[in-house]
Structures are given as structure tokens and as C-alpha cells.
């Protein structure tokens, strides 16, 4: 397995260290009832006051921890091993933007409430750049895809900036931007599915990231609003999105089995 990806050994090391720390935190929670270490490792925050180490809370936090561990492995292992294909400037820029977007999603989980608004603006702005670069790499007439992405993520960027300066935006505007971003994601996943530069697993992760919020909301209904680690369910959706973004970048650097055909297509 370590030979199939370019950075597999460092990824395996980091994943192993995180897994070991997660195991220790679970043991501490089981023995002493202290959720502090486990809460910090999975939600990157101090434990909420009044939350007990119940079976359901442990289960939710462990689920979040396993999601982070799998995400670390998928993201840090890099592209498949082998000589990378020749890439134009737009493809290289898209790969960098995809990696930056992956990092900004993680940043949203580790920032404090005082800086969360700034991180949100950064995340939306990076996704707006990805919208523009994706259209150049995909090629073809994709005006509707570009329009949906610009409206969605460009709109969220503007809304975030206005929020920072104290100007409120109607909820209807945010809903329109959210729907536009959803449409863009669907159209991009459809384009990736018909493009051999991206693998089936990458598209599957994107579909899972798109559909997971609905299932997670339904899964959260039986849990109480307070005194529970129900926010750990949101980690699953975030990790799926991070994996899709990172794998989309990895696949663009994967070795091509038919370099002659790819060169002709690029020309």
C-alpha cells in the first residue's frame, strides 16, 4: 500500500499517531469519565460544560475521530505513484486551489468563534477561485456551471465580507447562494464522472459529501440539543468534502496509461 502513493509513508505515520492519540483519549474517557482529550482531538475545542461521558457521546466522538483518521490518510498520501503527466498552468493552479480549500475547511473546525467569520470568508473566496479554475480545466461550454458557482460562492464571499463590517443580508439571499452552490457541485460531479482524469472513487466521495448533510440531520434528530456531542456528526460531512477536494487534486497528477492519447487530447 505504501508504494501505491507518493506520500504514503508520511501519511501513514501521521494517521498512526492520530489513531494512537485517539485510542488513549477513548481509554481515558472510559476509565475516568473525562471527555476533554477526546473532545479536543475530534472537535478541536474544549468540552462543553455539562456533557457526560455517556455511551452515545462516546460513540459520536469516536465516529468523528475515525472520520478524521480516514481523512488524514486519504488527503496526505498524495497522488498515485509514478511519473506525473504534463500539466498546463490552469491545472496546476486548480490543484493548488483544491489543496488550499481542503485546508480551509479544516481551518473552520479549529478556529475560535472570534475568528470563525474571517475563516468563512477565506473558505468561500477559495471556492470561488476553484469555480473559475474548474471551468478552464474541464473545458467546453459550461456557462450554467460557471454561473451557478460564481453566484453561490461569490455570493457567500460578499455576504461574509458584509457581515464582517456589520451589514446584514436577508436570509433569502443566503438561501439562493446555497442553492446555487449545490447546483454547481452537482454539475461538477457530473462532469468529473464523464472525464477519465478523475476516478470513480473520487466522484463517489463527492456524491457522499453532497448527500451526507441530509442523512446526518436525520441521524441527529433522536439526540438532545444540549448535553450531547451531536455536533460530531458534522465532522463526517466536512471530512467527506475535504477528501473529495483533495482526491480531485490527486487525480489530476495521477500517471496516465495512454500518454499519447492524452497529449493529443490536450493539444
Amino acid at each position: 500500500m505504501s508504494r501505491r502513493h507518493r506520500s504514503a509513508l508520511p501519511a501513514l505515520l501521521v494517521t498512526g499517531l492520530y489513531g494512537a492519540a485517539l485510542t488513549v483519549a477513548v481509554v481515558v474517557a472510559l476509565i475516568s469519565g473525562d471527555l476533554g482529550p477526546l473532545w479536543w482531538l475530534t472537535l478541536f475545542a474544549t468540552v462543553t460544560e455539562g456533557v457526560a461521558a455517556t455511551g452515545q457521546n462516546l460513540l459520536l466522538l469516536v465516529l468523528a475521530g475515525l472520520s478524521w483518521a480516514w481523512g488524514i490518510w486519504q488527503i496526505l498520501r498524495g497522488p498515485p505513484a509514478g511519473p506525473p503527466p504534463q500539466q498546463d498552468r490552469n491545472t496546476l493552479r486548480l490543484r493548488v486551489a483544491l489543496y488550499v480549500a481542503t485546508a480551509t475547511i479544516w481551518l473552520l473546525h479549529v478556529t475560535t468563534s472570534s475568528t470563525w467569520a474571517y475563516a468563512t470568508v477565506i473558505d468561500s473566496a477559495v471556492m470561488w477561485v476553484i469555480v473559475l479554475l474548474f471551468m478552464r480545466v474541464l473545458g467546453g461550454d459550461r456557462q450554467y456551471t460557471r454561473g451557478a458557482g460564481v453566484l453561490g460562492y461569490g455570493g457567500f464571499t460578499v455576504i461574509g465580507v458584509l457581515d464582517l463590517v456589520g451589514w446584514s443580508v436577508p436570509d433569502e439571499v443566503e438561501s439562493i447562494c446555497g442553492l446555487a452552490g449545490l447546483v454547481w457541485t452537482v454539475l461538477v460531479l457530473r462532469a468529473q464522472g464523464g472525464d477519465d482524469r478523475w476516478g470513480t472513487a473520487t466522484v463517489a466521495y463527492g456524491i457522499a459529501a453532497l448527500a451526507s448533510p441530509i442523512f446526518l440531520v436525520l441521524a441527529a434528530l433522536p439526540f438532545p440539543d444540549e448535553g450531547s456531542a451531536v455536533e460530531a456528526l458534522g465532522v463526517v460531512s466536512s471530512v467527506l468534502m475535504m477528501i473529495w477536494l483533495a482526491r480531485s487534486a490527486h487525480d489530476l497528477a495521477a500517471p496516465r496509461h495512454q500518454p499519447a492519447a492524452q497529449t493529443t487530447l490536450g493539444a
Side-chain angles (χ1 to χ4, degrees):
M1 181 182 295
S2 61
R3 296 181 180 179
R4 295 176 57 184
H5 298 272
R6 298 175 195 171
S7 304
L9 288 178
L12 190 61
L13 176 62
V14 176
T15 304
L17 291 174
Y18 179 82
L22 185 67
T23 302
V24 172
V26 172
V27 172
V28 169
L30 289 173
I31 295 177
S32 66
D34 183 10
L35 285 178
L38 184 59
W39 198 280
W40 187 87
L41 278 173
T42 55
L43 301 181
F44 303 103
T46 56
V47 62
T48 303
E49 185 177 355
V51 178
T54 61
Q56 71 175 25
N57 285 336
L58 284 173
L59 178 63
L60 290 171
L61 293 173
V62 169
L63 175 63
L66 293 177
S67 298
W68 283 122
W70 184 247
I72 291 171
W73 165 247
Q74 288 287 321
I75 294 166
L76 296 185
R77 68 182 186 176
Q86 290 185 340
Q87 300 175 2
D88 56 33
R89 184 175 299 178
N90 288 329
T91 301
L92 290 173
R93 289 175 176 174
L94 175 59
R95 290 189 64 222
V96 172
L98 288 168
Y99 289 134
V100 172
T102 304
T104 57
I105 294 178
W106 175 78
L107 186 64
L108 290 173
H109 284 272
V110 300
T111 51
T112 60
S113 57
S114 60
T115 58
W116 189 83
Y118 296 95
T120 302
V121 172
I122 294 173
D123 179 66
S124 299
V126 173
M127 288 301 300
W128 176 72
V129 173
I130 288 177
V131 167
L132 301 179
L133 292 174
F134 239 128
M135 298 308 98
R136 297 178 183 179
V137 172
L138 288 172
D141 184 12
R142 302 182 185 275
Q143 296 181 1
Y144 293 107
T145 306
R146 182 185 292 108
V150 170
L151 175 60
Y153 293 107
F156 275 128
T157 303
V158 174
I159 291 172
V161 173
L162 293 177
D163 183 61
L164 289 175
V165 299
W167 291 4
S168 61
V169 177
D171 294 339
E172 293 78 6
V173 176
E174 294 189 19
S175 298
I176 292 173
C177 293
L179 179 60
L182 181 66
V183 171
W184 177 82
T185 306
V186 171
L187 294 175
V188 168
L189 286 171
R190 180 182 178 184
Q192 282 185 311
D195 194 318
D196 61 1
R197 288 175 292 182
W198 286 283
T200 303
T202 297
V203 178
Y205 275 112
I207 295 173
L210 191 66
S212 60
I214 300 175
F215 295 100
L216 293 176
V217 168
L218 296 176
L221 291 178
F223 297 103
D225 294 333
E226 297 181 357
S228 174
V230 68
E231 56 263 41
L233 290 173
V235 170
V236 179
S237 181
S238 296
V239 171
L240 287 173
M241 178 61 70
M242 293 169 66
I243 292 175
W244 173 58
L245 292 171
R247 286 186 63 109
S248 294
H250 294 342
D251 288 356
L252 288 174
R256 301 288 185 260
H257 298 293
Q258 296 177 339
Q262 292 291 338
T263 302
T264 303
L265 180 61

